[in-house]
Amino acid sequence: MLKLFKKADLILLASLLLIASFFIVFPILLKGKSPEGQELFARITVDGKLYKTVALSAAEQELEIRTKYGYNLLKLHDGGIQMIKADCPDRLCLTFGAITSIGQTIVCLPNRLMVEVVSGTGGGGGLDGVAS
């Protein structure tokens, strides 16, 4: 009976799986990691323009955003930020939950609002997980 795989085929397949897992697993493990001692901030933009930057800390507070596009209420807690109220028609922005890692975002398209977690240097995380 003819073998389905030869020894060289199995070695090639195992090598490809190992390489693929490297590019899948490590970016997941490294996503959102900030260098030690670096404070995280939430950069809030409305219609592409910076509205406010707030430090993410354990202290709980609420931040109201009223613009000509609409109303949003953000809650800062446990080192993250979360959208808890919005007057947009679809309220999709309320489903993002709390964001706590560099590069995570909350977007409210009808109100033209975006909240992004950035590092203390103000960047959005710089290099991606594969390149870093």
Side-chain angles (χ1 to χ4, degrees):
M1 186 172 185
L2 188 60
K3 281 187 168 184
L4 186 60
F5 291 107
K6 295 181 182 174
K7 186 176 181 180
D9 293 335
L10 292 175
I11 293 172
L12 179 64
L13 182 62
S15 300
L16 289 174
L17 287 174
L18 184 65
I19 292 169
S21 66
F22 175 78
F23 287 105
I24 293 171
V25 172
F26 285 114
I28 292 170
L29 294 175
L30 296 175
K31 183 173 182 357
K33 301 289 184 188
S34 66
E36 289 296 320
Q38 201 169 37
E39 192 174 4
L40 297 180
F41 294 88
R43 182 172 47 206
I44 302 164
T45 56
V46 176
D47 199 24
K49 297 176 183 78
L50 182 64
Y51 178 83
K52 190 171 192 175
T53 302
V54 293
L56 296 180
S57 64
E60 190 172 309
Q61 65 178 357
E62 292 184 353
L63 177 63
E64 284 189 0
I65 300 175
R66 292 184 190 274
T67 65
K68 64 181 178 180
Y69 304 110
Y71 169 79
N72 297 84
L73 181 63
L74 297 167
K75 183 177 183 179
L76 287 89
H77 61 92
D78 302 322
I81 188 166
Q82 179 177 7
M83 183 89 59
I84 57 173
K85 284 186 185 173
D87 66 355
C88 57
D90 60 4
R91 290 186 172 63
L92 185 61
C93 54
L94 302 177
T95 64
F96 284 85
I99 57 173
T100 58
S101 299
I102 294 174
Q104 289 183 317
T105 58
I106 298 173
V107 179
C108 183
L109 287 177
N111 294 353
R112 300 182 185 186
L113 177 84
M114 184 172 93
V115 181
E116 180 181 15
V117 177
V118 296
S119 67
T121 59
L127 302 174
D128 63 9
V130 175
S132 59

